[in-house]
Amino acid sequence: MVLSLDKRDKLANADINKVKQGLSDNGYYLQIPPPVESLLNIHLDHGKKINSDSSVNISCKNPQCYLH
């Protein structure tokens, strides 16, 4: 993909200065997609937040947790 960076001061998903530096040093800039978030970690973090509230009880009789 070819883009003119002369008149740009920012890019949507990359630091324009890093892009320009990569182009001048290497002749190319490789943009890698962000890592996929772990749904398990999100679930565990959410559970920690709920457990810190003493007024909420959690029972996990099934694979899914239900609030009471």
Side-chain angles (χ1 to χ4, degrees), residues 7 21 33-34 43 46-47 51 53 56 58:
K7 298 179 183 176
Q21 188 67 43
H43 173 73
H46 182 69
N51 286 336
D53 181 5
V56 176
I58 299 177

PDB file of all heavy atoms in Angstrom, residues 7 21 33-34 43 46-47 51 53 56 58:
ATOM      1  N   LYS A   7       2.057  15.352   3.947  1.00  0.00           N
ATOM      2  CA  LYS A   7       1.114  16.323   4.498  1.00  0.00           C
ATOM      3  C   LYS A   7       0.350  15.786   5.713  1.00  0.00           C
ATOM      4  O   LYS A   7      -0.573  16.414   6.189  1.00  0.00           O
ATOM      5  CB  LYS A   7       0.123  16.751   3.414  1.00  0.00           C
ATOM      6  CG  LYS A   7       0.795  17.444   2.251  1.00  0.00           C
ATOM      7  CD  LYS A   7      -0.197  17.822   1.188  1.00  0.00           C
ATOM      8  CE  LYS A   7       0.542  18.448   0.008  1.00  0.00           C
ATOM      9  NZ  LYS A   7      -0.355  18.751  -1.089  1.00  0.00           N
ATOM     10  N   GLN A  21      10.451   6.746  10.574  1.00  0.00           N
ATOM     11  CA  GLN A  21      11.773   6.237  10.962  1.00  0.00           C
ATOM     12  C   GLN A  21      12.002   4.854  10.367  1.00  0.00           C
ATOM     13  O   GLN A  21      13.077   4.564   9.851  1.00  0.00           O
ATOM     14  CB  GLN A  21      11.900   6.195  12.491  1.00  0.00           C
ATOM     15  CG  GLN A  21      13.283   5.872  12.976  1.00  0.00           C
ATOM     16  CD  GLN A  21      14.277   6.962  12.648  1.00  0.00           C
ATOM     17  OE1 GLN A  21      13.982   8.140  12.796  1.00  0.00           O
ATOM     18  NE2 GLN A  21      15.445   6.562  12.178  1.00  0.00           N
ATOM     19  N   PRO A  33      -0.987  -6.430  13.758  1.00  0.00           N
ATOM     20  CA  PRO A  33      -2.244  -6.199  14.478  1.00  0.00           C
ATOM     21  C   PRO A  33      -2.042  -6.339  15.986  1.00  0.00           C
ATOM     22  O   PRO A  33      -1.160  -7.070  16.436  1.00  0.00           O
ATOM     23  CB  PRO A  33      -3.185  -7.294  13.967  1.00  0.00           C
ATOM     24  CG  PRO A  33      -2.445  -8.065  12.956  1.00  0.00           C
ATOM     25  CD  PRO A  33      -1.048  -7.579  12.874  1.00  0.00           C
ATOM     26  N   PRO A  34      -2.862  -5.651  16.772  1.00  0.00           N
ATOM     27  CA  PRO A  34      -2.734  -5.766  18.227  1.00  0.00           C
ATOM     28  C   PRO A  34      -3.054  -7.189  18.676  1.00  0.00           C
ATOM     29  O   PRO A  34      -3.801  -7.907  18.006  1.00  0.00           O
ATOM     30  CB  PRO A  34      -3.768  -4.772  18.767  1.00  0.00           C
ATOM     31  CG  PRO A  34      -4.732  -4.556  17.660  1.00  0.00           C
ATOM     32  CD  PRO A  34      -3.975  -4.780  16.379  1.00  0.00           C
ATOM     33  N   HIS A  43     -12.805 -12.443  31.827  1.00  0.00           N
ATOM     34  CA  HIS A  43     -13.777 -13.055  32.717  1.00  0.00           C
ATOM     35  C   HIS A  43     -13.253 -13.098  34.161  1.00  0.00           C
ATOM     36  O   HIS A  43     -13.962 -12.770  35.101  1.00  0.00           O
ATOM     37  CB  HIS A  43     -14.116 -14.467  32.236  1.00  0.00           C
ATOM     38  CG  HIS A  43     -14.980 -15.249  33.169  1.00  0.00           C
ATOM     39  ND1 HIS A  43     -16.314 -14.977  33.336  1.00  0.00           N
ATOM     40  CD2 HIS A  43     -14.692 -16.271  34.009  1.00  0.00           C
ATOM     41  CE1 HIS A  43     -16.818 -15.804  34.238  1.00  0.00           C
ATOM     42  NE2 HIS A  43     -15.856 -16.595  34.661  1.00  0.00           N
ATOM     43  N   HIS A  46     -13.197  -9.656  35.683  1.00  0.00           N
ATOM     44  CA  HIS A  46     -14.565  -9.245  36.012  1.00  0.00           C
ATOM     45  C   HIS A  46     -15.009  -9.914  37.309  1.00  0.00           C
ATOM     46  O   HIS A  46     -15.638  -9.293  38.156  1.00  0.00           O
ATOM     47  CB  HIS A  46     -15.518  -9.594  34.872  1.00  0.00           C
ATOM     48  CG  HIS A  46     -16.925  -9.162  35.101  1.00  0.00           C
ATOM     49  ND1 HIS A  46     -17.298  -7.841  35.107  1.00  0.00           N
ATOM     50  CD2 HIS A  46     -18.048  -9.871  35.359  1.00  0.00           C
ATOM     51  CE1 HIS A  46     -18.596  -7.763  35.352  1.00  0.00           C
ATOM     52  NE2 HIS A  46     -19.077  -8.988  35.511  1.00  0.00           N
ATOM     53  N   GLY A  47     -14.658 -11.181  37.487  1.00  0.00           N
ATOM     54  CA  GLY A  47     -14.998 -11.899  38.703  1.00  0.00           C
ATOM     55  C   GLY A  47     -14.328 -11.302  39.928  1.00  0.00           C
ATOM     56  O   GLY A  47     -14.914 -11.229  41.004  1.00  0.00           O
ATOM     57  N   ASN A  51     -16.267  -9.930  43.164  1.00  0.00           N
ATOM     58  CA  ASN A  51     -15.975 -10.511  44.472  1.00  0.00           C
ATOM     59  C   ASN A  51     -15.517  -9.464  45.482  1.00  0.00           C
ATOM     60  O   ASN A  51     -15.679  -9.650  46.675  1.00  0.00           O
ATOM     61  CB  ASN A  51     -14.922 -11.610  44.357  1.00  0.00           C
ATOM     62  CG  ASN A  51     -15.487 -12.874  43.746  1.00  0.00           C
ATOM     63  OD1 ASN A  51     -16.681 -13.118  43.798  1.00  0.00           O
ATOM     64  ND2 ASN A  51     -14.621 -13.675  43.155  1.00  0.00           N
ATOM     65  N   ASP A  53     -16.856  -6.665  45.935  1.00  0.00           N
ATOM     66  CA  ASP A  53     -18.073  -6.045  46.466  1.00  0.00           C
ATOM     67  C   ASP A  53     -18.744  -7.067  47.374  1.00  0.00           C
ATOM     68  O   ASP A  53     -19.292  -8.049  46.929  1.00  0.00           O
ATOM     69  CB  ASP A  53     -19.001  -5.636  45.322  1.00  0.00           C
ATOM     70  CG  ASP A  53     -20.273  -4.967  45.806  1.00  0.00           C
ATOM     71  OD1 ASP A  53     -20.395  -4.724  47.032  1.00  0.00           O
ATOM     72  OD2 ASP A  53     -21.146  -4.692  44.972  1.00  0.00           O
ATOM     73  N   VAL A  56     -22.437  -8.682  46.949  1.00  0.00           N
ATOM     74  CA  VAL A  56     -22.787  -9.535  45.819  1.00  0.00           C
ATOM     75  C   VAL A  56     -22.281 -10.945  46.099  1.00  0.00           C
ATOM     76  O   VAL A  56     -21.137 -11.148  46.459  1.00  0.00           O
ATOM     77  CB  VAL A  56     -22.155  -8.995  44.505  1.00  0.00           C
ATOM     78  CG1 VAL A  56     -22.448  -9.933  43.359  1.00  0.00           C
ATOM     79  CG2 VAL A  56     -22.655  -7.602  44.213  1.00  0.00           C
ATOM     80  N   ILE A  58     -21.754 -14.854  44.522  1.00  0.00           N
ATOM     81  CA  ILE A  58     -21.623 -15.548  43.247  1.00  0.00           C
ATOM     82  C   ILE A  58     -21.712 -17.045  43.506  1.00  0.00           C
ATOM     83  O   ILE A  58     -21.075 -17.566  44.411  1.00  0.00           O
ATOM     84  CB  ILE A  58     -20.279 -15.231  42.569  1.00  0.00           C
ATOM     85  CG1 ILE A  58     -20.174 -13.742  42.280  1.00  0.00           C
ATOM     86  CG2 ILE A  58     -20.106 -16.052  41.315  1.00  0.00           C
ATOM     87  CD1 ILE A  58     -18.864 -13.341  41.680  1.00  0.00           C
TER      88      ILE A  58
END
